[in-house]
Amino acid sequence: MNLVGKILVILIFLMSIAFMAFSCTVYSTHRNWAELINKKDTGYKARLDAEQKRNQDLQLQLTALNNKANELEAARRQSLAKLESERDQLTKERETLLASNTELNTKNASLTTEVTGKLDDVKTKLDQVASLRGDVATAQAERDENLKKFVEEQDKANQQEFEKRRLEALSTRLAEQAAKSRILLDRAGMNPDSPVDGQPPSIDGVVLASNRDLVEISLGSDMGLSRGNQLDVARGAKYVGRIEVIETQPDRAVGRVLPTYQKAKIQKDDRVYTRLQ
């Protein structure tokens, strides 16, 4: 046997060993495929059925999702169409507003120029008003001073007029009283020039104020009252007391209350008589 034959024999032997090992490996990995396919729940057939059912469910879900997507797409297209319509409307409104804004800017510029001129006129008028206010203030001060002087003179004139009327009324009253007194004296057979022994004329008045044992009355020396005269005081029909004149003025007098004759406290507005009627 030559060298080539030996090599072929060795190769055949090695291949036999490899085939035997391959056969052992195939045998060791051999499975019962029928059992694996038909095995309940976990077999390939059961798994295939489950996957097919799952695939059907997914197909139904896909169909529902496609319908929903179609609805959303239709709604999107409607919204888009509506938005495009609104955009066109807003574009038109914007163009209108831009045109109106341009017109307003033109009017504003014109009004600004006009207002500037008016402001200049107003400033001039304000300067004139300020000057006039100064003149008015001066005139008002002079008027107030003249009015004050006029009021003072008017008050003096009114006081003089009041005093004149009071004196005229007093003179008339005294003349009437003198005439009556002469008639009474004539009837009584008395001389008007004879002394009266300090007796006051027949007059009456009211108590102006009362303070403890002093009272102020509305009768005075112009009515013939003098110090030392005694006057009776009454409140309505009630006799209150008697006072003695201690001080006189032309139109009023102050008297001292005589405790001996006092029946009640003398008060303001009580009547005062030279004698009770």
Side-chain angles (χ1 to χ4, degrees):
M1 182 180 293
N2 55 16
L3 181 60
V4 175
K6 292 180 178 180
I7 293 172
L8 290 173
V9 171
I10 293 172
L11 289 173
I12 292 170
F13 178 73
L14 292 174
M15 290 181 66
S16 297
I17 294 174
F19 180 77
M20 184 181 65
F22 179 76
S23 297
C24 291
T25 301
V26 169
Y27 181 79
S28 64
T29 58
H30 176 72
R31 293 182 180 182
N32 189 352
W33 294 104
E35 182 180 356
L36 291 175
I37 292 172
N38 297 319
K39 190 175 182 180
K40 187 178 180 180
D41 295 334
T42 59
Y44 289 124
K45 184 177 181 181
R47 291 168 64 182
L48 179 61
D49 293 339
E51 290 297 328
Q52 288 178 349
K53 187 176 183 304
R54 182 182 176 188
N55 184 41
Q56 290 177 356
D57 293 338
L58 291 175
Q59 287 292 337
L60 293 175
Q61 293 179 7
L62 178 61
T63 302
L65 289 175
N66 286 332
N67 294 333
K68 184 68 174 178
N70 292 331
E71 293 177 359
L72 292 175
E73 179 65 19
R76 185 187 69 81
R77 289 178 180 177
Q78 291 179 357
S79 299
L80 182 61
K82 182 178 180 181
L83 290 174
E84 288 179 351
S85 176
E86 292 179 353
R87 182 194 64 184
D88 296 338
Q89 182 67 26
L90 291 174
T91 301
K92 293 179 180 179
E93 292 179 357
R94 177 176 175 274
E95 292 175 354
T96 303
L97 289 174
L98 287 175
S100 177
N101 185 48
T102 303
E103 183 180 358
L104 289 175
N105 287 333
T106 303
K107 290 182 178 180
N108 185 43
S110 176
L111 289 174
T112 301
T113 304
E114 184 178 355
V115 168
T116 302
K118 295 294 184 181
L119 287 176
D120 293 337
D121 295 340
V122 169
K123 184 177 180 181
T124 303
K125 297 295 184 182
L126 288 176
D127 294 338
Q128 294 176 357
V129 168
S131 177
L132 290 174
R133 283 181 177 174
D135 296 340
V136 168
T138 303
Q140 286 180 343
E142 293 178 355
R143 182 202 64 184
D144 294 341
E145 184 65 24
N146 293 332
L147 181 60
K148 181 179 179 181
K149 292 180 180 179
F150 173 77
V151 170
E152 291 176 353
E153 294 297 329
Q154 187 67 30
D155 289 342
K156 291 180 181 179
N158 291 336
Q159 291 177 359
Q160 292 175 357
E161 182 66 22
F162 175 77
E163 186 66 19
K164 177 183 176 183
R165 292 180 180 178
R166 189 183 70 81
L167 292 176
E168 288 177 351
L170 180 60
S171 176
T172 302
R173 184 174 179 182
L174 290 176
E176 292 176 354
Q177 290 179 353
K180 291 179 180 180
S181 297
R182 285 185 176 278
I183 294 172
L184 293 174
L185 289 174
D186 289 340
R187 290 178 180 177
M190 297 177 63
N191 186 355
D193 297 328
S194 60
V196 294
D197 298 329
Q199 294 298 322
S202 179
I203 54 178
D204 61 86
V206 295
V207 175
L208 299 177
S210 175
N211 183 14
R212 293 184 181 179
D213 58 345
L214 297 177
V215 295
E216 182 180 4
I217 60 176
S218 62
L219 304 175
S221 58
D222 289 345
M223 298 181 181
L225 203 63
S226 61
R227 293 181 61 182
N229 290 154
Q230 294 185 0
L231 305 173
D232 290 325
V233 182
R235 188 176 305 132
K238 179 181 178 181
Y239 181 81
V240 178
R242 182 174 294 180
I243 62 173
E244 181 180 353
V245 177
I246 60 175
E247 183 180 348
T248 62
Q249 293 181 4
D251 58 347
R252 61 190 59 203
V254 177
R256 177 173 55 84
V257 178
L258 299 177
T260 305
Y261 300 93
Q262 188 171 6
K263 302 298 182 182
K265 183 179 179 180
I266 298 176
Q267 299 177 357
K268 182 181 178 182
D269 296 329
D270 287 345
R271 301 296 298 180
V272 182
Y273 304 90
T274 53
R275 67 176 186 275
L276 291 175
Q277 301 296 331

